[in-house]
Amino acid sequence: MKFIPIGNSGAQLIELMPHGDRRGTFTRTWCASTFADHGIEFTPVQGNNSLTRKRGTVRGMHFQRAPKADAKLVRCTSGCIHDVIVDIREGSSTRGEVYAYELSPSSGRMLYIPAGFAHGFQTLADDSVVEYLMGIEYVAELSDGFRHDDPSFRIAWPEAVSEMSDKDAAWPDFAGRDT
Ligand SMILES: Cc1cn([C@H]2C[C@H](O)[C@@H](COP(=O)(O)OP(=O)(O)O[C@H]3O[C@H](C)C(=O)[C@H](O)[C@H]3O)O2)c(=O)[nH]c1=O
């Protein structure tokens, strides 16, 4: 794996390094010691898989409020997504910064998202699958979010939104909220 820090945000792009032979490939997608060697203290406690049927769907933006802010390692294993993270940590030098990357099996990369970021994505292909490892368990009561078009962040989405949950369409403006 090759680690590419994203500025001084603490987020990192991780390029996978498949070992190929005539049978196909073998790729390591997680390694505690290698991650620690690159400054990432992350202990997965939950794994998630999401299948999104329709191209153009947006899931997010989501985060868990303290004390259960969630770090996650995100990988697209089928189709393609435009993955977006926003630093919403109080006092962070990159608070309010938006970072976006295309993730897909062919891009060969995944994204490490530190606790204190909001995360969302738009699918760029039908039947896109996203696998995540979470550094903290899901706590519904602390699950929070903001709209994809929240005026505080002006996130640029590559396509018109084709689908989103009612919950994601209804988040209040982020500005002025206690998160
Ligand atoms: C996140 C989560 C959800 N759920 C249940 C709650 C709902 O009954 C159902 C769907 O949840 P939701 O609509 O929040 O799923 P997404 O919209 O894909 O949410 C995810 O999308 C963005 C992009 C993320 O980064 C988070 O991983 C996560 O918030 O799964 C669970 O049981 N465990 C979980 O960890």
Side-chain angles (χ1 to χ4, degrees):
M1 292 178 273
K2 181 181 174 190
F3 291 73
I4 304 162
I6 299 169
N8 58 359
S9 71
Q12 298 200 42
L13 273 174
I14 299 152
E15 291 186 353
L16 298 171
M17 302 173 79
H19 299 275
D21 63 28
R22 64 174 178 275
R23 299 166 301 167
T25 59
F26 178 91
T27 308
R28 184 179 297 190
T29 57
W30 158 249
C31 176
S33 60
T34 306
F35 273 59
D37 290 347
H38 290 84
I40 299 177
E41 294 303 328
F42 175 64
T43 306
V45 297
Q46 180 181 309
N48 297 334
N49 170 291
S50 80
L51 162 65
T52 304
R53 291 286 183 206
K54 194 175 177 183
R55 177 174 179 154
T57 301
V58 168
R59 291 181 184 256
M61 304 295 290
H62 299 160
F63 60 93
Q64 278 196 168
R65 293 193 304 277
K68 294 286 186 180
D70 50 343
K72 57 190 79 159
L73 182 62
V74 177
R75 186 160 61 94
C76 175
T77 57
S78 185
C80 186
I81 65 170
H82 176 78
D83 208 47
V84 179
I85 59 175
V86 181
D87 184 352
I88 57 173
R89 297 168 298 187
E90 289 293 342
S92 168
S93 62
T94 54
R95 179 173 165 89
E97 292 293 322
V98 177
Y99 306 97
Y101 300 93
E102 188 169 294
L103 301 181
S104 67
S106 57
S107 75
R109 59 190 183 181
M110 50 192 184
L111 185 58
Y112 170 72
I113 310 167
F117 278 71
H119 175 240
F121 60 83
Q122 181 172 37
T123 57
L124 301 179
D126 290 340
D127 297 328
S128 291
V129 176
V130 178
E131 289 281 347
Y132 331 45
L133 293 178
M134 309 291 291
I136 209 159
E137 72 277 7
Y138 173 67
V139 179
E141 299 72 29
L142 293 174
S143 181
D144 205 336
F146 52 85
R147 290 188 319 281
H148 79 294
D149 60 355
D150 189 286
S152 294
F153 304 111
R154 301 190 184 287
I155 299 169
W157 299 96
E159 302 188 356
V161 176
S162 63
E163 185 65 85
M164 76 167 58
S165 66
D166 294 341
K167 176 184 73 170
D168 285 346
W171 293 114
D173 284 356
F174 182 79
R177 280 169 52 194
D178 176 18
T179 57

